[in-house]
Structure formats: C-alpha cells, structure tokens
Amino acid sequence: MGNGQLDAMKPAVYLIDVTNRDGVQTSRILLPKLSKTMLNTYLDEMGIYQSEVGFPTLRHEVNYINANLQLAKIGAIKRLHLEGWCRAIPEDIELTFKNCPDIKHLNVSVSTSDVMLRGKFQGRKTWKDILHSLVGSVKLAKQLGAETLGVNAEDASRTDLDRLIEFIHAGRESGADRFRYCDTLGADDPITIYDRIKTLALATNFPIEMHCHNDLGMGEAVSVTGAQAAIESGADAYINTTINGYGERAGNCDLVSTILALKFSHGLKDRIPLDDHVDLQRAWKVAKYASYAFNLPIPINQPGVGSNAFAHESGIHADGALKDRRNYELYDPEDVGRGEPELLETGRIITTGEYGGIKGFRHVYDSLGIHFTDDNQARKVLELVQYANLHTQKPLTDDELRLTATYPDIVRQVLTVAL
Ligand SMILES: [Zn+2]
C-alpha cells in the first residue's frame, strides 16, 4: 500500500499469553504468585499485548491480581492488558468485580459443543440457555467497567459453525470485543482450522482469538493458520500462547515458537503482520525464567530457546554452519536474545532469603546497586525478602529482589493470601 496511515490500519496478529491462567491450572505444575507477577512484567517488556493473569473469582488469586493491577496503575506495567478469566455466568461477573473492582479486561467462557452440552450439563442447559447466560454476562461486565471483553467458546473445534456464528453475533450485540475459538482438545489441523476460521471471519468480520492445544503436536501450526485465515478475511487476529508451551495435557501453543513462525516461516513472514511491539530478543529471558519458576527444564530441542537450538556437531552440518551459518540456521541466537555467556559463581557467595540477616541483605542489594539509607526501610524489605523466599522456595533472582525493593507494598500484597 505504501501509505503509512493505511499500513497502520492493516489487521495484525496480537499475542495474548495465558501462562498465568491455563499454564498454572495444569496438573502437577505450580507457580508462586511472585513468579506470576514477574512473568507479567517480563511479558510487558516483551511487548506482548495481553496477559491472562488468572481467576478473579478464586480467593487466593485476588490479592495477587489487585497488586498487579496496581503495578499497571503506577506505570510499572506499561502496555500489557491484565485480563481475568471467568465463566460466562452473571454470578462470576459480579464476584469478579467485587473482588477486583479495577479490572478492565475479561474473557468469559462457556462450552458450546453438543458433546460438552450433553456431557457436562447433562440436559440441564439448552443452547438457548447458554446464549442467554452469555448475553447477561457480557452486558453486566460492560456495566461494571470492563473495557475489553472476549467471549470464549470452549470446544469450538467440535461445535457447528452456524452455532458459533450465532454465538459471535450474540456476544457482539451485547458488547463483546472479541471471540475466542478454543480448540480445547487440540483436535484441529492447519487445513480444517483455516477453513473454519475463514468462514467465521467472513460471516461476522469480528476479531478472533486462537486458543489451541498441542495434543496432536500442532498447537502452533493451527494457531498461526487460524490467525492467517482471520487476517486474510480482514479481521484482527489474536493468538493465545503459553511460555515454553506449558499447559493442560500436552500443553498450549508456545509463545516463542509462534513468534518465530510468524517472523521466519516462508508462508507467513511477509504476509501476516505481527504486532510490532513484540520484541523477540526478550525470548531467552522469559523462557529461562519460566523454566526456573515452574521447576521444569526447557527441552533440549525447544525452538529458539532449547540448548541445542543452535548446536552443530555432525560433520556435514558443522562444516556447513562454520562456512556460513545460513546453511543450517534459519535465524540467529541473537534474534532470541542469546549469545552472551552466562557466568556462574564458583567461589564465595553471599545470598539473602528466608533466614537471612541485615548484613548479608545489605551486601546483596549493594551489589545490585540498591542502597538503603533508612534502617527501618532496610529491615522492612529484609522481612519481605524472607517471606518472598518462603513463598517461592528457591533462591530469589536479581529481578525478584529488585521488584521487592522497588515496590515493597505491592509485593507484600502479592505474598498475602487470606482464608
Ligand atoms: Zn486451554
């Protein structure tokens, strides 16, 4: 087009990371609230559009969510939308705004497929009941202050398209801003999802979120082809991701792989524009931190961030890579923020944490360039550091220590749960 204004209006793909909701609800993997908070700050630095922060109706999430909303209010989280997830029933909407009055972004979810309607509601809810509850929920959320709201069709990939179109119209007419297509079982493939999303986008011209699971090993493939169908039909597209693909069963669509696919794959790189705030060079930092915080290793062959992603040994490959890296590498380590050596202290080390005292605490913070002149303030932050470490049960990272010293009152709220 060549015209800047027209270019700015072209549809683009925006990323909504759901690690702090779908990732943490997963069986047998856990994330402390302080780590969820760190992930929100890293996602913000990475230029991700939105983070699904968790469940505002769940009591142990409430302080953490309100504290993160406060971080956004004071500008510590700059652009990232902090969005809550709840069921599409008016009771959940009421409780959400009672618990978190400042929340501005929501996604509300309900099952739409016949198999789930029969299997979950056992005949207690008809399709008309579902739509009625959806409309009531969206209207109430907008009345109570939601600025953006997505309507999620759980099990959309096993739902008739006519029914999904009806769902989208009902959502839009009651004030929703986006539709989330959930491939809840990971059953779609790139060709079927392309066709289905194209039909929905052409019939409704409504922004579509792709929420895809990896049960067939195609989580990213179906997400990007679904987004492509939306964009090619003139609609904005959003892709739900999780860091390192952590999520239910075989996981969700992986954040870094999705960005790599949009930036480097033959079919997408020049045709499907990605939100230009996204900074792929933050990938290494966010993936490494999530791995540390979840206590889960990054697979050796993980795209971009696995330890073998830029390793070459076999004769022909090593020779080719040494002559010209482009022989065997699609992108560079620096593209994903790698390349700097990581130094590991092998001599004397002073740490601070759960059982630390004031001298060690001051030493650690001095080395971070943070100096406490007020003794009372130092003792207050030391106590918070003790509790933060009690909470995470692993050595606090430099960024966790910085966050604790910079926003002590907010971190205190993150660490506090009430029964
Ligand atoms: Zn999911």
Side-chain angles (χ1 to χ4, degrees), residues 41-60:
T41 67
Y42 289 156
L43 291 167
D44 185 45
E45 287 171 10
M46 197 173 177
I48 303 306
Y49 177 79
Q50 182 161 308
S51 169
E52 190 156 277
V53 294
F55 303 94
T57 55
L58 185 60
R59 281 180 70 182
H60 67 67

Side-chain angles (χ1 to χ4, degrees), residues 46-102:
M46 197 173 177
I48 303 306
Y49 177 79
Q50 182 161 308
S51 169
E52 190 156 277
V53 294
F55 303 94
T57 55
L58 185 60
R59 281 180 70 182
H60 67 67
E61 294 266 82
V62 171
N63 279 354
Y64 143 76
I65 292 174
N66 285 332
N68 276 256
L69 292 170
Q70 188 62 22
L71 282 175
K73 200 169 183 178
I74 63 173
I77 289 175
K78 294 181 177 61
R79 175 176 172 267
L80 185 75
H81 284 190
L82 302 174
E83 164 253 315
W85 184 103
C86 69
R87 295 173 298 176
I89 54 174
E91 297 90 310
D92 271 22
I93 305 294
E94 260 166 39
L95 188 55
T96 289
F97 283 93
K98 182 167 170 254
N99 288 341
C100 305
D102 294 330

Side-chain angles (χ1 to χ4, degrees), residues 91-348:
E91 297 90 310
D92 271 22
I93 305 294
E94 260 166 39
L95 188 55
T96 289
F97 283 93
K98 182 167 170 254
N99 288 341
C100 305
D102 294 330
I103 201 156
K104 295 289 175 229
H105 309 287
L106 272 187
N107 272 66
V108 300
S109 181
V110 65
S111 311
T112 52
S113 67
D114 258 340
V115 57
M116 281 203 176
L117 257 62
R118 279 199 308 271
K120 290 169 75 166
F121 301 125
Q122 310 257 313
R124 283 178 286 111
K125 279 190 182 179
T126 64
W127 175 239
K128 286 276 169 276
D129 296 332
I130 299 280
L131 288 179
H132 182 73
S133 181
L134 177 81
V135 166
S137 303
V138 174
K139 285 183 175 167
L140 184 59
K142 285 284 176 165
Q143 269 171 27
L144 293 176
E147 287 173 7
T148 73
L149 191 141
V151 288
N152 304 2
E154 190 192 24
D155 207 17
S157 50
R158 292 192 298 177
T159 305
D160 289 345
L161 286 171
D162 287 347
R163 186 177 270 189
L164 291 178
I165 290 167
E166 196 180 353
F167 184 86
I168 294 171
H169 284 315
R172 171 161 55 195
E173 279 156 25
S174 42
D177 302 278
R178 288 193 299 275
F179 164 68
R180 179 178 292 184
Y181 179 99
C182 302
D183 183 14
T184 305
L185 273 71
D188 265 320
D189 61 77
I191 294 171
T192 58
I193 208 165
Y194 183 91
D195 289 343
R196 287 171 65 80
I197 297 298
K198 190 171 183 179
T199 303
L200 295 175
L202 289 175
T204 64
N205 192 27
F206 199 56
I208 296 182
E209 287 183 34
M210 304 308 306
H211 179 96
C212 303
H213 281 266
N214 199 39
D215 298 71
L216 297 175
M218 296 192 285
E220 295 85 32
V222 290
S223 299
V224 297
T225 44
Q228 181 182 6
I231 297 277
E232 289 180 353
S233 308
D236 269 344
Y238 297 75
I239 295 180
N240 288 187
T241 62
T242 63
I243 303 163
N244 300 335
Y246 302 140
E248 294 276 13
R249 307 178 309 278
N252 291 52
C253 169
D254 171 48
L255 172 67
V256 175
S257 309
T258 300
I259 302 171
L260 289 170
L262 290 167
K263 278 184 172 290
F264 295 101
S265 76
H266 291 171
L268 302 174
K269 65 179 175 186
D270 298 319
R271 290 170 53 200
I272 305 301
L274 171 65
D275 176 2
D276 58 17
H277 294 86
V278 173
D279 181 1
L280 179 58
Q281 290 184 334
R282 301 277 178 168
W284 179 241
K285 185 178 174 186
V286 73
K288 286 254 301 179
Y289 179 76
S291 164
Y292 179 74
F294 271 108
N295 272 329
L296 295 170
I298 298 175
I300 194 170
N301 57 338
Q302 184 82 357
V305 295
S307 60
N308 263 5
F310 302 95
H312 312 280
E313 180 175 309
S314 72
I316 292 170
H317 281 240
D319 177 57
L322 285 166
K323 282 174 177 153
D324 180 350
R325 68 195 196 287
R326 280 290 166 263
N327 280 322
Y328 285 105
E329 287 176 4
L330 196 55
Y331 44 86
D332 290 323
E334 293 76 14
D335 289 331
V336 291
R338 296 174 69 157
E340 292 291 317
E342 288 186 337
L343 299 175
L344 197 64
E345 182 57 66
T346 60
R348 182 174 303 109

